[in-house]
Amino acid sequence: MTDHSSAHMHEMAQNETLIDLAADPFVLFAEWMHEAEKSEPSDPNAMTLATSTPDGHPSARIVLLKGADRRGFVFYTNQQSRKGDELAQNPNVALLFHWKSLRRQIRIEGAVTPVTPHEADAYFASRSRISRLGAIASDQSRPLADRALFEARVKEAETLYAHTDIPRPDNWSGYRVTPSAFEFWQERPYRLHDRARWVLQAGMWSTTRLYP
């Protein structure tokens, strides 16, 4: 690398703000999410949820974050889906948020606990009517011989609940991920990225910067 290139790289790096190791990880998450809500074109609350079987076979999928506070990070699903089956056997999960427009990502590790029935009822009631009917009609993750069968079940549910409230199915609820670790990643020039990790130890957050 020439002296000019080295100087240019140093100048660009100096202009980038490093992740603040003194920050509260929940506050920093909220700040980054708020910025993502202003810049991401679609679903800034989309996150990868990674689960695993007890013998260590992982699976991952995109779900939507539907609640975030100091108690944890909430998502909803059919509890008889593949993810629900795996969570029943192994509550340890990982979350990943990636915001391409901001050149940022956040990794969260922790364990899930069920949300309360009241929380699940309130969120289910907030969904569109067709989404609630779909939740009733779907045997999520189970084999489907013909798409027409699912569509017919949606229509049956629509007829059944044409003049009444749509109840939340017993097997549909939410999970709260209580974090034990955060990792914040910020892209920087020349792949000299900034990474910082928070780990919960004896009720206190221990922080460290990581090599990119």
Side-chain angles (χ1 to χ4, degrees):
M1 181 179 292
T2 66
D3 291 342
H4 175 74
S5 296
S6 179
H8 180 61
M9 179 182 72
H10 180 72
E11 180 182 356
M12 291 185 69
Q14 288 292 98
N15 291 333
E16 293 282 340
T17 301
L18 291 174
I19 298 167
D20 182 7
L21 293 182
D24 180 312
F26 291 97
V27 173
L28 186 56
F29 175 89
E31 291 174 352
W32 283 24
M33 175 60 78
H34 180 65
E35 292 182 33
E37 289 170 345
K38 295 187 295 182
S39 68
E40 290 297 305
S42 180
D43 294 330
N45 60 330
M47 60 185 183
T48 301
L49 167 68
T51 58
S52 177
T53 61
D55 53 354
H57 292 280
S59 62
R61 76 289 290 160
I62 300 294
V63 298
L64 297 179
L65 177 70
K66 291 299 180 179
D69 56 29
R70 289 191 173 276
R71 296 175 298 164
F73 301 87
V74 175
F75 64 94
Y76 291 88
T77 188
N78 185 319
Q79 294 178 312
Q80 294 176 350
S81 63
R82 178 176 176 179
K83 72 178 82 63
D85 290 343
E86 292 181 357
L87 291 172
Q89 300 176 77
N90 180 359
N92 298 303
V93 303
L95 305 176
L96 172 62
F97 296 85
H98 177 231
W99 299 302
K100 186 175 179 64
S101 65
L102 292 176
R103 300 177 299 147
R104 286 174 174 171
Q105 69 178 24
I106 301 175
R107 298 166 64 184
I108 297 172
E109 299 162 31
V112 299
T113 54
V115 301
T116 65
H118 176 74
E119 289 175 293
D121 287 342
Y123 174 67
F124 189 76
S126 75
R127 302 181 85 194
S128 68
R129 182 175 179 82
I130 191 64
S131 293
R132 283 178 282 162
L133 293 171
I136 289 174
S138 176
D139 292 330
Q140 192 175 102
S141 299
R142 302 298 188 263
L144 176 60
D146 190 327
R147 173 74 184 189
L149 175 61
F150 173 55
E151 293 175 354
R153 293 180 65 170
V154 173
K155 290 181 179 179
E156 289 174 5
E158 188 172 14
T159 299
L160 180 62
Y161 298 106
H163 304 293
T164 63
D165 290 337
I166 303 171
R168 175 175 63 88
D170 292 338
N171 62 357
W172 192 98
S173 190
Y175 297 90
R176 176 173 283 106
V177 181
T178 301
S180 57
F182 290 83
E183 184 183 314
F184 293 81
W185 178 95
Q186 173 72 64
E187 182 180 326
R188 287 169 64 84
Y190 303 101
R191 299 184 182 273
L192 304 182
H193 310 313
D194 189 25
R195 294 172 64 189
R197 184 170 173 83
W198 278 249
V199 177
L200 190 61
Q201 297 177 332
M204 300 290 289
W205 289 102
S206 173
T207 61
T208 185
R209 204 173 301 281
L210 304 174
Y211 278 99

